[in-house]
Amino acid sequence: MSVLPLVFTSGWASGINAYAVVLLFGLFGATGLTDEVPESLQRTDVLVVAGVLFLCEAVADKIPYVDSVWDSVHTVIRPVAGAVVGALLAGQDGSLPELAAAAVGGSTALLSHFVKAGTRMAVNTSPEPFSNVGVSLAEDLGVAAVVTFAIFHPVAAAVVAGVLLLLGLVIIAFLAQRIRRFLRRRSQRREEKRIAAGARTPPPPDDGPRRP
């Protein structure tokens, strides 16, 4: 069976939480639950780094506005992670060219990242912090469940990931107004900080009238 469904699912999950994908695949491979995971993802140092970064994301992802800053930083990281994981999976399986797998994994991760980042922008227009925690937990549990399902039923998991990705894109289209509101607020805060910083800057010293 082609590894393409697993690559697609890993790309979708990487766009939401790339560190969780690397950690889960590595643990599944290291414990012998699957032979689809390359040894490079099972290395102890990779698992330790992925675990630490996953914990950092688990905290940052639940704090209003900090989560959007974290998403901005990961606009490049998540698609690259999706491409790398896809290429490694294809190289391990041999049924799909690695370049094609990297393209599928990276592009799918980019789309799901935009869905995640856009959803967080919309959530951050709400004054209370509990929605951020709820959405973050739902994302973490969803990624864990779909990736685990993909190990044993890759085709069915790919269908689930595809439906979730399409549904997320539709939701982002409906939330476009709230996302624009978030961007306006962020721009206003930056302008206010710039004005406040300028007001705190002391005027240049006055040397008094100059003599002719």
Side-chain angles (χ1 to χ4, degrees), residues 80-107:
V80 170
V84 171
V85 172
L88 290 174
L89 291 173
Q92 174 79 3
D93 180 82
S95 62
L96 182 70
E98 294 181 29
L99 185 60
V104 171
S107 58

Side-chain angles (χ1 to χ4, degrees), residues 46-126:
V46 173
L47 292 176
V48 170
V49 171
V52 171
L53 292 174
F54 169 75
L55 292 177
C56 292
E57 176 150 339
V59 175
D61 205 41
K62 295 172 177 60
I63 303 174
Y65 294 103
V66 174
D67 56 355
S68 289
V69 174
W70 185 270
D71 288 337
S72 298
V73 173
H74 285 73
T75 300
V76 176
I77 296 175
R78 286 169 182 159
V80 170
V84 171
V85 172
L88 290 174
L89 291 173
Q92 174 79 3
D93 180 82
S95 62
L96 182 70
E98 294 181 29
L99 185 60
V104 171
S107 58
T108 306
L110 182 62
L111 287 175
S112 62
H113 165 75
F114 281 144
V115 170
K116 173 186 172 68
T119 302
R120 289 312 182 85
M121 290 181 185
V123 170
N124 280 330
T125 60
S126 175

Side-chain angles (χ1 to χ4, degrees), residues 143-158:
V143 166
V146 174
V147 169
T148 302
F149 188 47
I151 293 295
F152 304 101
H153 305 283
V155 176

Side-chain angles (χ1 to χ4, degrees), residues 145-199:
V146 174
V147 169
T148 302
F149 188 47
I151 293 295
F152 304 101
H153 305 283
V155 176
V159 172
V160 172
V163 171
L164 291 175
L165 179 59
L166 182 59
L167 181 61
L169 293 172
V170 172
I171 291 175
I172 289 300
F174 280 107
L175 294 177
Q177 184 175 358
R178 299 190 69 177
I179 294 173
R180 286 193 294 267
R181 192 185 312 161
F182 168 84
L183 294 175
R184 283 196 302 268
R185 288 182 179 179
R186 188 169 66 175
S187 178
Q188 290 173 356
R189 284 196 301 272
R190 288 178 178 175
E191 183 66 18
E192 291 171 356
K193 290 180 179 179
R194 187 186 66 81
I195 295 174

